Amino acid sequence: MKMNLKADPLYTNFKHDVTPEGLALAFRWIPDATGLNEVERELLVLKAREDMEDIWPRAKDQREAMALFQERARNIRDPDKLKVYLCEFLLGLAILASTWVEGQERAGMNASAQRMFG
């Protein structure tokens, strides 16, 4: 995936490769940069994982998933807590999505192999 970053007018043509590994690293760095103690971070990580596991199978489409997500995140008022929650939630979503894509690709490869080899 290519992303144009135009934050600085001197670098209007700067391109950056966004990789799953790079995103995972960013999601790991941000919680460590907050002023929260380790216990608070771990509690938020657990909440985000539980919410992800609850929302993923329940949502019928993207709109419903977003509504459920907003409902869960609405009561987090502290910006540092919200950063940790969002990072863990997005990391979980990235992992689930990439696992789903890999499964679809394997299913497609298996189907085409079966067609080729009878």
Side-chain angles (χ1 to χ4, degrees):
M1 175 190 329
K2 295 279 185 192
M3 180 170 67
N4 287 325
L5 300 177
K6 296 181 179 177
D8 187 331
L10 296 174
Y11 296 101
T12 55
N13 294 321
F14 179 76
K15 290 199 184 297
H16 176 66
D17 287 331
V18 178
T19 62
E21 295 80 16
L23 285 174
L25 194 57
F27 293 145
R28 288 288 174 231
W29 277 346
I30 292 170
D32 290 340
T34 62
L36 301 176
N37 66 42
E38 199 171 325
V39 174
E40 288 176 314
R41 281 198 317 256
E42 283 302 312
L43 287 172
L44 286 164
V45 163
L46 287 174
K47 178 180 174 9
R49 287 179 187 167
E50 287 172 1
D51 289 351
M52 168 57 60
E53 289 170 6
D54 188 41
I55 290 171
W56 181 265
R58 279 183 43 201
K60 295 179 187 81
D61 58 19
Q62 294 95 325
R63 252 184 210 180
E64 188 176 340
M66 188 49 124
L68 288 167
F69 169 72
Q70 287 175 336
E71 182 184 306
R72 301 294 171 90
R74 186 173 291 132
N75 62 357
I76 303 173
R77 301 269 184 242
D78 181 344
D80 278 349
K81 289 183 177 182
L82 190 58
K83 283 179 197 173
V84 173
Y85 179 85
L86 289 174
C87 284
E88 190 59 35
F89 194 93
L90 291 171
L91 181 61
L93 186 61
I95 291 167
L96 282 171
S98 64
T99 302
W100 183 82
V101 168
E102 284 175 14
Q104 297 291 49
E105 287 174 352
R106 277 198 211 109
M109 286 188 293
N110 288 344
S112 64
Q114 287 175 353
R115 283 193 298 275
M116 271 198 306
F117 301 111

